[in-house]
Amino acid sequence: MEIKNLSKYSDAEKIVLAEQLWDSVSKNDLEISDEVKRELDIRIQNLEEGKTELYTWDEVKNHLKAIRSV
């Protein structure tokens, strides 16, 4: 599948297209491997037990900017 000339569409039209594409995907068709499910369970458990650090989006962006300038 090839998508051509998305630049000819406005941002609003692109958003509508993205929403239509997303809605066309059945959640039942999305497969998550057992390995990924286990990893997600571990991450949720760590979050609930306070064993993980949370960062704001601004903190993440600042970190990425800092490591790019090295």
Side-chain angles (χ1 to χ4, degrees):
M1 180 171 107
E2 186 176 338
I3 299 176
K4 297 180 183 180
N5 298 324
L6 284 178
S7 60
K8 70 180 180 179
Y9 297 103
S10 70
D11 287 345
E13 290 171 319
K14 291 177 196 175
I15 291 170
V16 170
L17 175 60
E19 289 173 342
Q20 290 174 348
L21 285 169
W22 183 255
D23 290 343
S24 73
V25 176
S26 170
K27 291 180 178 133
N28 294 331
D29 293 341
L30 298 176
E31 293 183 26
I32 300 175
S33 70
D34 289 339
E35 181 180 344
V36 170
K37 288 177 186 176
R38 280 191 299 277
E39 179 63 27
L40 291 172
D41 287 340
I42 290 167
R43 291 180 183 202
I44 290 170
Q45 182 178 354
N46 287 339
L47 180 63
E48 290 172 345
E49 294 175 359
K51 295 180 180 177
T52 190
E53 292 185 50
L54 300 177
Y55 301 95
T56 66
W57 180 235
D58 285 334
E59 290 172 320
V60 172
K61 288 189 295 186
N62 290 334
H63 174 72
L64 291 173
K65 286 177 186 177
I67 62 173
R68 284 187 192 154
S69 63
V70 172

